[in-house]
């Protein structure tokens, strides 16, 4: 049973993209695969990369405000980047870098944040899979023991060791001092240093510049897609790339197991909707999960190939039918500015709100940094269609 992951805009084949993919695949294998009655290694994950066909900037985004070299170099090392990826989570969730102090108030939430920060630094799928297995055990322990006695006397130096010891059913450190424990200890340190001591002018300028760049690439990739998506007979390069991935995954099915699950993040949802309604409406998708997507918004603006201004005849009362090739559709959204509902526009779509704990644009990619997101996906996939 393959899973196809379709990424959104502003993705390029760089170190951050590869690390995100490795972490995501690790958690899909260890947490979602069992929900599909598969062993982790049996899950086939196909991730068509269409970012190479996205927008290119002739002047290298020289138009961005305040392009100082000092700002460009600020936070460029990998660990600073990892800390930046979790800073929004800590701030928005009401969680400071002092995870131990917060754990005494909300143990389960602090365990979630600890593993989220560890995910931000995962550099391989193997490391992410170990983290996922460890997270499942620790999250279950935290849910069953919201105020464990040892927490009252734990210190920053032994918090991770005690958590790992207590969460393991046998009372042993199943991952050893040199592996997952070190990753979690690094996460604890990362959380403590994720937020700057003061809101310096340089940090503010850096945030504004990154925000401007994100908006430019988001709009640019979307414009390129809309301009070059082509027709059903001659699809454009982005559509072809995703179609090839979908068809390859569909061809991987085994006897008695021909299901196809598609997870589409952000603008990936619009690409899949165009494929399901125009480019290949016969390609069956057993479960489509759109995450932080704008599918409903683009239909409101009538921007799909199949969009018609006279359908439905009475919006907002009327609804469009769910594409016939999509047997089940789950749409997950946060309150970030790039995430929208689908159910008010398309019939038979289940909308679900998920609080990533991030703010503004950070929330848009935050879904896949939260370990609990994968447990929620697994739980929904276990449910029969229509539940």
């Amino acid at each position: 049973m393959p899973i196809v992951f379709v990424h959104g805009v502003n993705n390029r084949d760089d170190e951050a993209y590869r690390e995100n993919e490795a972490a995501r695949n690790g958690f899909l294998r260890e947490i979602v695969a069992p929900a599909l009655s598969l062993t982790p290694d049996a899950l086939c994950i196909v991730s068509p990369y269409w970012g190479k066909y996205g927008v290119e900037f002739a002047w290298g985004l020289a138009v961005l405000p305040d392009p100082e070299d000092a700002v460009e170099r600020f936070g460029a090392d990998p660990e600073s980047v990892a800390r930046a990826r979790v800073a929004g989570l800590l701030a928005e969730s009401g969680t400071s870098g002092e995870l131990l102090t917060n754990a005494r108030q909300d143990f389960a939430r602090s365990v979630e944040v600890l593993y989220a920060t560890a995910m931000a630094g995962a550099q391989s799928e193997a490391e992410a899979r170990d983290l996922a297995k460890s997270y499942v055990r620790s999250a279950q322990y935290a849910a069953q023991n919201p105020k464990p006695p040892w927490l009252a006397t734990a210190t920053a130096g032994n918090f991770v060791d005690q958590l790992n010891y207590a969460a393991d059913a046998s009372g042993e450190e199943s991952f050893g001092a040199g592996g997952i424990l070190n990753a979690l200890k690094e996460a604890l340190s990362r959380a403590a240093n994720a937020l700057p001591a003061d809101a310096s002018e340089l940090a503010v300028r850096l945030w504004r510049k990154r925000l401007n760049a994100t908006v430019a690439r988001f709009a640019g990739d979307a414009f390129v897609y809309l301009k070059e998506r082509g027709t059903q007979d001659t699809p454009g390069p982005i559509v072809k790339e995703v179609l090839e991935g979908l068809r390859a995954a569909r061809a991987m099915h085994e006897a008695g197991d021909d299901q196809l699950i598609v997870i589409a993040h952000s603008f990936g949802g619009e690409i899949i909707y165009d494929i399901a309604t125009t480019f290949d409406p016969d390609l069956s998708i057993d479960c489509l999960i759109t995450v932080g997507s704008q599918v409903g918004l683009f239909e409101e603006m009538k921007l799909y190939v199949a969009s018609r201004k006279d359908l439905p005849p009475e919006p907002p009362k009327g609804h469009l039918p769910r594409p016939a090739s999509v047997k089940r559709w789950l749409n997950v959204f946060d309150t970030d500015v790039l995430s929208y509902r689908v159910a008010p526009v398309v019939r038979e779509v289940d909308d679900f709100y998920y609080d990533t704990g991030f703010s503004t644009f950070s929330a848009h990619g935050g879904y896949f940094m939260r370990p609990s997101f994968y447990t929620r996906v697994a739980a929904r996939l276990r449910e029969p269609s229509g539940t």
Side-chain angles (χ1 to χ4, degrees), residues 111-143:
V111 167
E112 166 82 4
V113 172
L114 174 66
Y115 279 87
T117 60
M119 281 183 69
Q123 297 183 2
S124 69
E125 185 174 317
E127 183 179 346
R129 290 178 65 173
D130 282 349
L131 280 170
K133 288 183 283 189
S134 176
Y135 167 73
V136 170
R137 193 183 66 220
S138 295
Q140 290 174 345
Y141 173 79

Side-chain angles (χ1 to χ4, degrees), residues 5-16:
F5 181 86
V6 183
H7 70 76
V9 297
N10 196 24
N11 278 275
R12 297 299 184 266
D13 188 15
D14 54 19
E15 184 177 357

Side-chain angles (χ1 to χ4, degrees), residues 136-219:
V136 170
R137 193 183 66 220
S138 295
Q140 290 174 345
Y141 173 79
Q144 296 166 1
N145 302 273
K147 291 188 178 298
W150 59 264
L151 188 58
T153 57
T155 66
N158 65 22
F159 172 67
V160 168
D161 298 273
Q162 294 215 50
L163 171 63
N164 186 70
Y165 183 88
D168 190 272
S170 65
E172 298 177 357
E173 297 176 350
S174 57
F175 291 102
I180 205 66
L181 283 178
N182 279 351
L184 292 175
K185 288 175 181 178
E186 288 175 6
L188 196 66
S189 174
R190 187 177 299 124
N193 294 283
L195 298 175
D198 54 64
S200 68
E201 181 182 354
L202 181 61
V204 172
R205 291 206 310 268
L206 173 65
W207 167 245
R208 288 175 179 171
K209 186 171 184 178
R210 285 179 176 169
L211 184 60
N212 284 348
T214 297
V215 172
R217 292 192 183 99
F218 182 98

